């Protein structure tokens, strides 16, 4: 049997833990895994592009556990009442190749992206950052605001979206949190939102080289968390922002970011830093309060690996095990055909999910 977390499952986990502690815990897991960067089998994700969007597979493994995520990005979906980004994923035991967990990752992608953004900002943004502009107020936006509020102490959020209803929705959801120290300001333009901000998060969805931020909007000391540009031909920053002499650009995994990130606009030898080097002390996240730091995020498989392992452990800690019969467990492993003729009993039914886990080599504990 394979452990399963669907939409109700993630609602239950978040209901018990709360989104902010979940993201704080997940950020710790991601940080631990990024510190052992060298142990992971890494590759750029496999992407199939269409005029409407992209469908991607994101695998990685540390030799003990393997994970992959299926994720799409279809910016025109919202006009049809559908999400821009949906996802699910699998965690598997490398020793047997057996899947351990099949999980929803649509909600979890929003949580892990926000956790990753806030983690990067902890290393890159000025520590006195209290004001953040949030450009693009769609599905991901609440998660980013909650993560930056709780993990970085951001108190004021300046919101802008070309769709005023999205901004109203975000403001409503943030007000409903009832946080005393969280202020929200609705802005009439990107420039209005960005002026005086310490951190600018761009979260727009548009399948083109958009120019959401232009050079004159950027002040010394700002941290840019550029999340929405994540495909070839889909960017958010004017290239001159990346070229600023005082700019420091950090990416998740260079071979993927060179193709998908803001840095696709730059020559292949333009110097950038991988976040793992910042975490391991091999490169600075920020050298001075005046630097402009840019986290050019596209989303990397390692954060999904961390998220899947985190979910798997939480679900079992909360004694909420739910399993599905995705893989047959047979009395005679050579008699697969017996499943069809009824002559080979399924072991799983007899020993239950815990019995299968006892045979697994995987021991999991949270960081
Ligand atoms: P969404 O469609 O729900 O929201 C996007 C919002 O951007 C919409 O409200 C839209 O009106 C707004 N927008 C579009 N063009 C704009 C512009 N010029 N100025 C201001 N607002 C504009 O999408 P989402 O799920 O919130 O995702 C946002 C983006 O983040 C997508 O492009 C997605 O691919 C990307 N994403 C990246 C990561 C990562 O790890 N880097 C993870 C998840 C999603």
């Amino acid at each position: 049997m394979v452990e399963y977390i669907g939409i109700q499952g993630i609602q239950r986990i978040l209901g018990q833990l709360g989104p902010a502690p979940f993201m704080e815990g997940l950020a710790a897991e991601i940080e631990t895994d990024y510190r052992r960067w060298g142990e992971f089998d890494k590759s750029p994700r496999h992407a199939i592009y269409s005029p409407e969007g992209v469908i991607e597979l994101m695998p990685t493994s540390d030799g003990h556990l393997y994970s992959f995520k299926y994720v799409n990005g279809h910016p025109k979906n919202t006009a049809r009442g559908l999400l821009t980004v949906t996802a699910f994923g699998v965690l598997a035991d490398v020793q047997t190749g057996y899947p351990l967990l099949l999980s929803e990752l649509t909600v979890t992608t929003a949580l892990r992206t926000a956790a990753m953004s806030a983690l990067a900002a902890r290393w890159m943004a000025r520590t006195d950052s209290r004001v953040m502009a949030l450009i693009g107020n769609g599905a991901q936006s609440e998660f980013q605001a909650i993560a930056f509020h709780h993990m970085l102490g951001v108190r004021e959020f300046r919101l802008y979206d070309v769709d005023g209803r999205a901004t109203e929705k975000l403001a409503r959801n943030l007000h409903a949190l009832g946080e005393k120290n969280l202020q929200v300001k609705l802005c009439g333009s990107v420039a209005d939102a960005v002026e005086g901000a310490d951190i600018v998060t761009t979260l727009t969805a548009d399948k083109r080289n958009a120019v959401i931020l232009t050079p004159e909007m950027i002040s010394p000391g700002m941290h840019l968390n550029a999340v929405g540009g994540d495909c070839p031909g889909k960017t958010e920053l004017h290239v001159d922002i990346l070229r600023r002499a005082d700019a420091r650009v950090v990416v998740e995994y260079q071979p993927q970011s060179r193709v998908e990130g803001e840095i696709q606009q730059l020559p292949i030898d333009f110097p950038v830093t991988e976040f793992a080097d910042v975490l391991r002390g091999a490169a600075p996240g920020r050298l001075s309060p005046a630097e402009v730091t840019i986290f050019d995020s596209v989303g990397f498989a390692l954060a999904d690996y961390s998220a899947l392992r985190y979910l798997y452990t939480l679900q079992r800690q909360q004694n909420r095990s739910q399993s599905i019969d995705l893989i047959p467990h047979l009395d005679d492993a050579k008699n697969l055909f017996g499943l069809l003729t009824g002559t080979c009993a399924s072991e799983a039914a007899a020993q239950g999910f815990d019995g299968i886990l006892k045979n697994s080599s995987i021991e999991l504990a949270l960081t």
Side-chain angles (χ1 to χ4, degrees):
M1 292 291 197
V2 175
E3 189 82 3
Y4 175 68
I5 301 175
I7 298 305
Q8 287 177 5
I10 193 74
Q11 285 175 318
R12 222 173 31 229
I13 288 171
L14 289 170
Q16 187 149 340
L17 204 56
F22 181 98
M23 287 190 277
E24 181 73 68
L26 177 53
E29 296 295 311
I30 295 173
E31 178 166 349
T32 303
D33 288 331
Y34 262 85
R35 284 183 189 279
R36 53 189 193 99
W37 185 244
E39 294 174 26
F40 283 87
D41 199 329
K42 299 180 281 295
S43 57
R45 57 188 161 195
H46 180 270
I48 303 252
Y49 302 104
S50 66
E52 290 74 29
V54 62
I55 296 178
E56 299 164 325
L57 286 178
M58 303 170 67
T60 192
S61 172
D62 64 354
H64 301 287
L65 290 169
Y66 166 96
S67 71
F68 79 83
K69 173 164 90 170
Y70 165 103
V71 60
N72 77 301
H74 286 67
K76 290 179 191 150
N77 267 5
T78 52
R80 288 187 271 180
L82 301 174
L83 287 156
T84 296
V85 176
T86 68
F88 67 90
V90 166
L91 185 71
D93 177 357
V94 168
Q95 200 173 57
T96 60
Y98 269 43
L100 300 167
L101 169 69
L102 169 67
S103 179
E104 88 77 40
L105 289 182
T106 303
V107 180
T108 303
T109 289
L111 292 157
R112 79 85 154 109
T113 304
M116 184 72 205
S117 289
L119 175 63
R122 268 185 178 160
W123 291 81
M124 299 175 69
R126 292 185 346 265
T127 50
D128 60 353
S129 297
R130 295 293 171 265
V131 179
M132 177 159 111
L134 244 173
I135 314 299
N137 303 156
Q140 311 293 319
S141 57
E142 286 83 358
F143 300 86
Q144 291 276 335
I146 293 169
F148 276 83
H149 179 60
H150 284 272
M151 291 174 61
L152 274 98
V154 170
R155 293 189 193 131
E156 183 181 327
F157 292 91
R158 301 190 179 164
L159 318 182
Y160 176 73
D161 195 297
V162 286
D163 175 4
R165 284 168 312 168
T167 304
E168 282 162 23
K169 173 257 351 176
L170 174 56
R172 212 171 38 244
N173 284 342
L174 293 181
H175 281 307
L177 296 173
E179 304 266 2
K180 278 200 307 284
N181 294 326
L182 193 159
Q183 290 164 21
V184 169
K185 186 177 162 202
L186 278 57
C187 299
S189 68
V190 175
D192 184 19
V194 168
E195 194 181 350
D198 303 306
I199 298 173
V200 179
T201 290
T202 52
L203 266 176
T204 65
D206 201 354
K207 203 167 181 300
R208 67 191 175 97
N209 291 115
V211 184
I212 307 295
L213 298 183
T214 50
E216 70 280 3
M217 294 176 186
I218 310 305
S219 306
M222 269 183 181
H223 174 65
L224 310 185
N225 175 41
V227 179
D230 57 1
C231 269
K234 180 167 174 261
T235 52
E236 296 179 305
L237 307 188
H238 190 291
V239 68
D240 288 348
I241 296 174
L242 304 165
R243 288 187 197 277
R244 279 175 72 114
D246 60 353
R248 178 175 300 279
V249 182
V250 172
V251 300
E252 288 135 321
Y253 177 56
Q254 273 205 57
Q256 184 176 312
S257 301
R258 295 270 177 207
V259 180
E260 300 180 354
E262 297 300 326
I263 60 169
Q264 67 183 273
Q265 306 178 76
L266 293 164
I268 195 80
D269 56 354
F270 186 88
V272 298
T273 300
E274 283 186 338
F275 183 59
D277 284 339
V278 175
L279 269 186
R280 295 180 303 174
R286 165 179 290 276
L287 264 186
S288 78
E291 263 189 344
V292 172
T293 50
I294 303 169
F295 182 48
D296 179 6
S297 163
V298 294
F300 183 55
L302 185 44
D304 300 306
Y305 166 100
S306 309
L308 282 159
R309 193 195 49 206
Y310 185 53
L311 285 173
Y312 183 66
T313 312
L314 282 178
Q315 168 129 313
R316 295 182 63 206
Q317 276 180 351
Q318 293 182 357
N319 291 323
R320 300 279 195 178
S321 243
Q322 192 184 348
S323 53
I324 51 169
D325 62 342
L326 195 64
I327 301 293
H329 292 276
L330 310 169
D331 289 339
D332 175 359
K334 297 192 175 176
N335 188 14
L336 179 62
F337 192 75
L339 270 184
L340 310 186
T341 58
T343 55
C344 183
S346 169
E347 226 185 86
Q351 68 175 357
F353 185 65
D354 282 344
I356 303 293
L357 287 174
K358 269 186 217 127
N359 297 330
S360 165
S361 61
I362 301 301
E363 286 295 330
L364 296 175
L366 293 180
T367 314

